[in-house]
Amino acid sequence: MSGENTFSILEKIFQPKNRKEIKGYTIKYGFILEQEEVIDEVLVSYFKAPKSYTTEDMCEINSHGGTIICQKILEICLKNGAELAEPGEFTKRAFLNGRIDLLQAESVIDVIHAKSEREAKTGIQQLEGKLSKKIKEIKQDILDIMVNLEVAIDYPEYDVEEVTEQQIKNMLEIVEEKLEKLKDSFENGKIIKEGIRTAIIGKPNAGKSSLLNTILKEERAIVTEYEGTTRDTIEEFVTINGIPLKLIDTAGIRQAKDEVEKIGIAKAREIAEKADLVIAILDSTKELSQEDLEILSLIQNKKAIILLNKTDLNPILKKEDPRLLQASKHILKVSVLKEIGIEALYEKITELFQLNEIYLDNEIIITNVRHKNLIEKAIEKVKKTKMVIEEKVPSDIIAIPIKEILEELGKITGETVSEDIINEIFAKFCLGK
Ligand code: GDP
């Protein structure tokens, strides 16, 4: 429960063993009662305003759990004056009461829904306020620009304009650079959140399903299976050594195993087009067939890795083969069956997507489309301001688009965002968060 009546409601339903005064950050042992009858033996944690999640008086009742008892306790709370929280209401109050900004509130959902350790880590960093701090820093830069402009507005008799103009232009460049960098980080943010959309293609018997199974069986893999965009495709989310992969059309690979119908070139083209990464697998014991060449042609303009499989046998294909090199310069010799070269494959993926720890840990990363769109809008406004300056208009006119930059950034942290958007954001939360 959260709110000013928390403790008075608690008083009516909870009989603590120790009746001493309520202190924040303490836990009391006792019983939930309804008309003298003990409903459950519980522990209640107390949080006194303003030192709580919502900044209001709060308590948490820890019962033995189970549906019946929890329902009953909830019912008793409601009967005694509490109201059922909306989805995300606790976090919403924390935001409305100013304990966290909107950006941090949104990261709570990311942390809860994280499918990989990396995603959770990025969420936690956002919750801690790393991105908020960066946005604040850019906002401060813009406020500094405004100050410079004020000087020009207030003292037009001084001949400061030339100097200020150049200064303002330089400052805008810096702001634009910072914003562009944030925008670019979304590439990685998207990968962290959604995984690298990976397609495994190759002619029948090259080793596609063996590779798929090896990846999915990997000891440290966390696999989440869910339906793909079309009904009969399955996409699987795996994190291996911190690399999030979304394997597309895994159903296709499996079906092809059991059925007469094998994955044709048309299908391979279709999935290759949808992918961020294509793994083309070839049987290295055989000469390149027409089908192999067609597969190689599909990957020419993509991030792709060629696997020369079955090197435990008598491989005849060479890494130096110009027909391979023309398609991709990332060629690895592997034996999926003997699990040789699989680690090198993961390393290659890490390298291709610049996903190494050092790179990611030092970067502030945007993972949320809403934030990315607003940053793009802010960049547009910076460009607009630069154009306005070129028109040699009075300073107060220049101030207009500059204020708009601030406004876009304020929507990220929540100061200038509409109530509708706020409601929409919190509606995505689950109950009790
Ligand atoms: P797919 O049709 O492309 O899915 O190919 P599979 O994964 O079903 O593999 C076809 C056959 O090749 C199976 O009998 C596998 O056991 C075998 N195979 C796959 N990888 C290797 C490998 O690295 N070495 C050897 N010797 N056989 C392999």
Side-chain angles (χ1 to χ4, degrees):
M1 288 191 283
S2 178
E4 55 181 7
N5 296 330
T6 299
F7 297 141
S8 61
I9 293 171
L10 197 59
E11 181 81 6
K12 289 190 260 178
I13 66 171
F14 175 56
Q15 189 181 62
K17 200 88 193 280
N18 161 357
R19 289 212 152 271
K20 277 194 215 134
E21 58 155 337
I22 297 168
K23 278 196 241 148
Y25 297 139
T26 54
I27 297 175
K28 282 190 188 211
Y29 165 78
F31 301 93
I32 297 288
L33 299 179
E34 191 184 37
Q35 287 153 359
E36 318 277 295
E37 188 197 344
V38 172
I39 302 299
D40 197 8
E41 179 191 37
V42 297
L43 290 173
V44 176
S45 343
Y46 291 80
F47 305 89
K48 279 184 98 168
K51 294 189 169 179
S52 76
Y53 187 66
T54 58
T55 78
E56 302 165 344
D57 279 339
M58 279 186 86
C59 77
E60 280 183 22
I61 302 171
N62 290 270
S63 81
H64 282 105
T67 329
I68 302 293
I69 292 293
C70 286
Q71 280 281 4
K72 186 75 193 167
I73 295 174
L74 183 62
E75 225 169 78
I76 297 171
C77 291
L78 296 177
K79 254 189 229 160
N80 284 280
E83 274 170 41
L84 201 60
E86 300 280 329
E89 187 164 353
F90 292 95
T91 311
K92 188 176 182 180
R93 287 191 183 194
F95 162 64
L96 293 175
N97 295 334
R99 194 178 75 81
I100 52 174
D101 63 25
L102 192 56
L103 189 51
Q104 289 171 302
E106 286 173 292
S107 67
V108 173
I109 321 182
D110 291 345
V111 172
I112 295 167
H113 290 180
K115 297 181 290 309
S116 69
E117 253 177 69
R118 168 50 69 186
E119 190 184 350
K121 198 167 165 184
T122 316
I124 290 288
Q125 282 179 347
Q126 256 181 51
L127 185 57
E128 279 176 344
K130 280 202 174 163
L131 180 55
S132 308
K133 215 169 130 197
K134 189 79 201 170
I135 300 284
K136 219 181 251 170
E137 175 195 311
I138 299 175
K139 277 158 91 178
Q140 188 54 50
D141 289 348
I142 297 166
L143 288 172
D144 292 345
I145 298 176
M146 301 278 271
V147 170
N148 268 13
L149 261 183
E150 295 289 323
V151 175
I153 296 170
D154 292 347
Y155 305 101
E157 68 275 19
Y158 290 111
D159 196 16
V160 286
E161 282 193 24
E162 284 299 304
V163 188
T164 0
E165 192 184 302
Q166 195 48 48
Q167 225 167 28
I168 290 171
K169 274 193 204 161
N170 294 346
M171 290 167 98
L172 279 170
E173 286 300 332
I174 293 170
V175 166
E176 192 175 352
E177 233 167 74
K178 286 183 183 173
L179 288 171
E180 287 284 355
K181 200 167 166 213
L182 278 182
K183 191 189 97 182
D184 292 343
S185 75
F186 184 69
E187 279 298 306
N188 268 332
K190 203 170 139 240
I191 286 174
I192 289 168
K193 214 164 179 173
E194 293 169 19
I196 302 167
R197 295 179 59 87
T198 307
I200 302 172
I201 61 171
K203 71 177 178 194
N205 282 321
K208 294 181 295 298
S209 47
S210 305
L211 178 66
L212 177 67
N213 287 329
T214 304
I215 293 175
L216 295 181
K217 265 191 308 208
E218 189 78 17
E219 215 180 308
R220 289 173 61 198
I222 308 165
V223 184
T224 333
E225 221 177 86
Y226 50 96
E227 280 189 23
T229 31
T230 54
R231 233 179 321 125
D232 57 344
T233 65
I234 294 180
E235 294 176 343
E236 275 161 297
F237 193 97
V238 218
T239 313
I240 308 152
N241 302 345
I243 312 164
L245 297 182
K246 189 181 200 176
L247 297 158
I248 54 181
D249 199 40
T250 51
I253 296 176
R254 292 204 171 124
Q255 267 165 25
K257 213 52 253 155
D258 319 325
E259 294 176 19
V260 229
E261 187 200 343
K262 296 280 185 181
I263 302 179
I265 287 292
K267 182 75 187 169
R269 171 171 294 120
E270 192 189 307
I271 64 170
E273 267 166 17
K274 283 193 285 187
D276 305 315
L277 168 71
V278 184
I279 300 176
I281 182 160
L282 305 174
D283 183 343
S284 69
T285 64
K286 298 207 168 70
E287 261 306 329
L288 288 178
S289 65
Q290 185 53 36
E291 213 171 350
D292 288 322
L293 294 173
E294 278 181 61
I295 283 175
L296 290 173
S297 75
L298 295 181
I299 64 171
Q300 268 183 7
N301 300 313
K302 303 223 57 141
K303 269 193 182 159
I305 298 169
I306 299 174
L307 295 184
L308 299 180
N309 191 26
K310 308 196 189 181
T311 48
D312 55 298
L313 302 174
N314 278 328
I316 54 168
L317 281 183
K318 296 252 160 359
K319 272 173 89 171
E320 296 74 27
D321 193 315
R323 291 170 299 176
L324 301 179
L325 282 168
Q326 202 188 3
S328 165
K329 57 180 192 309
H330 308 291
I331 305 171
L332 298 172
K333 286 183 173 175
V334 300
S335 165
V336 177
L337 192 70
K338 302 267 188 274
E339 301 198 2
I340 298 167
I342 304 298
E343 206 52 46
L345 169 66
Y346 300 146
E347 271 163 31
K348 192 50 120 181
I349 298 172
T350 313
E351 175 197 318
L352 276 176
F353 288 86
Q354 293 193 296
L355 280 172
N356 57 64
E357 291 292 317
I358 304 155
Y359 181 80
L360 287 183
D361 278 350
N362 294 327
E363 288 293 296
I364 292 169
I365 293 169
I366 303 271
T367 53
N368 185 312
V369 189
R370 190 183 80 84
H371 304 158
K372 184 202 153 219
N373 289 343
L374 288 167
I375 285 171
E376 275 174 350
K377 279 198 183 148
I379 294 173
E380 268 169 41
K381 300 286 155 69
V382 174
K383 294 202 158 101
K384 186 168 148 194
T385 311
K386 290 201 303 199
M387 270 159 56
V388 171
I389 292 176
E390 290 308 322
E391 285 164 17
K392 307 277 173 212
V393 291
S395 307
D396 46 347
I397 305 274
I398 300 174
I400 299 171
I402 294 184
K403 280 197 190 118
E404 289 174 353
I405 312 172
L406 274 182
E407 212 161 283
E408 298 300 347
L409 295 179
K411 284 181 196 165
I412 299 178
T413 41
E415 295 111 73
T416 51
V417 79
S418 73
E419 207 182 316
D420 287 350
I421 303 270
I422 292 175
N423 290 337
E424 205 180 292
I425 288 168
F426 286 100
K428 285 189 228 146
F429 275 71
C430 23
L431 273 174
K433 287 292 182 290

